[in-house]
Amino acid sequence: MAPLSPADPVCIGIVSISDRASSGVYQDKGLPALQDWLTRALRNPVTFAARLIPDEKESISAALIELVDAGCALVLTTGGTGPAPRDVTPEATLAVAHKEMPGFGEQMRQISLRFVPTAILSRQVAVIRQRSLIINLPGQPKAIAETLEGLKNPDGTQAVPGIFAAVPYCIDLIGGPYLETRPEVCAAFRPKSAQRAAGVEEARNEAHPH
């Protein structure tokens, strides 16, 4: 059997939104947490486009548009999703949206509610702009990993699916690159007809019918 094609390269935008971190009051932890998790989770060659910006709606929207226009198939933000007056990331994200994807925010809150009742105060949203998926994530590195990866039982089986399990297929549907995950970190779910290996095998069978 011929080897499958190598994984598609992908550009991912990572955006940390914080007045204090962007002004140097303290060290940003959001960007390293995002890059670390994505590097562990994806088999694809990844180019990261990183931004560290203050809690300003216009600046956030402009950064998201810039990253989408630069070819980022996925843009992840961290910070600025609570109820405080300066928390405007969801508004800035919705302002650039072509479609809303409410299931991502719903699932993130379900995961976080396993840990803290204040998860209901989180306002994360996810949207599609052109051929890019934009997702607001929590601000804490531990919460970022939990919402992306989900929760596992003591025996290693999945207790609660993380949101990233649905990200590769979503990006397929909007015309982006084929993302391949490492199942020990996060097993992506696709219908069999959308799986690349299955598609290759079907094509071979059509070319060489039994």
Side-chain angles (χ1 to χ4, degrees), residues 12 14-16 27-41 48 50 76-79 137-149 185:
I12 298 179
I14 51 176
V15 185
S16 186
Q27 187 174 6
D28 172 66
K29 295 181 180 178
L31 294 175
L34 288 169
Q35 187 164 336
D36 173 70
W37 192 89
L38 290 163
T39 301
R40 288 191 294 112
F48 291 103
L76 300 179
T77 75
T78 175
L137 294 171
Q140 297 300 318
K142 183 173 181 289
I144 289 171
E146 287 164 354
T147 53
L148 289 170
E149 200 165 319
V185 178

Side-chain angles (χ1 to χ4, degrees), residues 151-159:
L151 307 176
K152 290 185 170 63
N153 293 311
D155 64 358
T157 58
Q158 197 81 36

Side-chain angles (χ1 to χ4, degrees), residues 73-124:
L74 175 65
V75 179
L76 300 179
T77 75
T78 175
T81 59
R86 295 284 295 172
D87 289 337
V88 294
T89 301
E91 287 76 15
T93 304
L94 291 170
V96 304
H98 294 151
K99 291 181 180 177
E100 290 184 49
M101 301 296 290
F104 285 102
E106 293 165 5
Q107 183 64 6
M108 280 190 274
R109 284 181 280 277
Q110 285 298 313
I111 292 168
S112 297
L113 276 168
R114 297 289 189 103
F115 299 96
V116 289
T118 50
I120 59 174
L121 304 180
S122 299
R123 302 185 304 114
Q124 292 106 317

